[in-house]
């Protein structure tokens, strides 16, 4: 059993990660900006006011955590890098720092040409800021995360939606996992399975991984 703090536990990804972790017997603290809006989370979840970009929040929650999951969204480009920088800066000074699991962007994965999907000319403009922000966070982990253990989880770049929990998926690292038709597809529910599997049985420490069917 692990003590897991989920920043963004009220969101689409965070709520599913929270539910998956609780269903497996882990102790989960949901760190959210609006605790009053999380009555749909499973029984037994501890809900606190928390912010992954706040030194104070991270410092207060770190001593009781084995893992801190970052599953935040809804901000401008700076949000994800700021969260990564806050966690790395605060946690590297802890005597036993919790591991960071950062739910990132699939657009950071590489196309067959070897360039990130977010650099494709037809990449949707409305998603560009968040894609660039997630790329900034990944770059920070890779270059500045000495003293902490992190994992960056990238969903498929296109076909990633709420759906069914099957409990099955395949993993890769820098390029999307594709099926026989060349599609990379995953539900939020099975992303949560992949995240909690990684918490329980670490395979991708200090690196990015992706998952799909």
């Amino acid at each position: 059993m692990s003590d897991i703090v989920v920043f963004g536990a009220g969101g689409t990804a965070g709520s599913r990660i929270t539910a998956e972790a609780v269903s497996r017997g882990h102790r989960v603290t949901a760190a959210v900006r609006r605790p009053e809006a999380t009555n749909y989370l499973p029984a037994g979840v501890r809900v606190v006011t928390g912010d992954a970009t706040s030194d104070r929040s991270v410092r207060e929650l770190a001593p009781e955590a084995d893992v801190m999951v970052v599953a935040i969204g809804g901000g401008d480009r700076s949000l994800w890098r700021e969260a990564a920088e806050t966690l790395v800066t605060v946690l590297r000074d802890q005597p036993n720092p919790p591991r960071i699991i950062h739910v990132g962007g699939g657009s950071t994965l590489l196309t067959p040409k070897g360039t990130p999907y977010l650099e494709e000319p037809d990449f949707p403009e409305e998603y560009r800021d968040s894609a660039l922000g997630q790329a900034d966070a990944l770059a920070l982990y890779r270059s500045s995360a000495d003293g902490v253990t992190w994992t960056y989880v990238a969903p498929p770049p296109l076909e990633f939606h709420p759906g069914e929990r099957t409990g099955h998926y395949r993993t890769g690292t820098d390029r999307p996992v594709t099926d026989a038709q060349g599609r990379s597809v995953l539900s939020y529910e099975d992303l949560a399975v992949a995240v909690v599997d990684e918490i329980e049985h670490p395979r991708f420490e200090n690196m990015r991984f992706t998952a799909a069917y």
Side-chain angles (χ1 to χ4, degrees):
M1 178 187 297
S2 294
D3 289 297
I4 303 169
V5 172
V6 181
F7 288 103
T12 307
S15 62
R16 286 158 173 82
I17 293 166
T18 297
E20 180 69 25
V22 169
S23 75
R24 301 199 203 179
H26 297 290
R27 290 183 292 263
V28 180
T29 296
V32 297
R33 294 183 177 182
R34 296 176 58 234
E36 69 278 6
T38 56
N39 56 2
Y40 52 86
L41 292 177
V45 174
R46 175 190 172 211
V47 180
V48 301
T49 301
D51 181 350
T53 67
S54 163
D55 287 12
R56 179 178 177 179
S57 285
V58 175
R59 188 170 289 108
E60 288 178 348
L61 292 168
E64 59 197 61
D66 299 308
V67 179
M68 287 186 151
V69 177
V70 180
I72 59 176
D76 61 21
R77 174 176 175 173
S78 65
L79 174 68
W80 294 274
R81 180 185 172 88
E82 188 177 347
E85 188 169 27
T86 300
L87 267 74
V88 168
T89 301
V90 172
L91 297 185
R92 63 161 51 116
D93 292 333
Q94 300 293 312
N96 295 293
R99 183 181 177 195
I100 301 166
I101 304 285
H102 184 112
V103 180
S107 58
T108 65
L109 295 169
L110 303 182
T111 69
K113 298 181 294 186
T115 55
Y117 277 85
L118 63 88
E119 294 181 5
E120 290 294 281
D122 59 348
F123 188 81
E125 194 60 35
E126 62 267 31
Y127 300 129
R128 189 170 300 280
D129 266 5
S130 60
L132 290 169
Q134 288 285 19
D136 292 341
L138 177 58
L140 184 140
Y141 287 122
R142 285 175 163 171
S143 65
S144 308
D146 294 341
V148 299
T149 302
W150 59 272
T151 297
Y152 185 101
V153 187
L158 297 175
E159 297 188 70
F160 177 50
H161 309 285
E164 179 185 0
R165 182 196 185 283
T166 70
H168 301 288
Y169 59 89
R170 294 176 295 134
T171 59
T173 53
D174 291 331
R175 286 178 166 79
V177 175
T178 57
D179 61 17
Q181 288 73 47
R183 296 174 63 198
S184 183
V185 183
L186 190 70
S187 69
Y188 274 89
E189 287 74 10
D190 281 327
L191 178 79
V193 174
V195 167
V196 180
D197 283 351
E198 179 63 20
I199 291 172
E200 294 179 343
H201 305 288
R203 294 192 297 148
F204 299 100
E205 292 187 345
N206 299 328
M207 61 188 299
R208 167 176 58 188
F209 84 93
T210 185
Y213 299 125

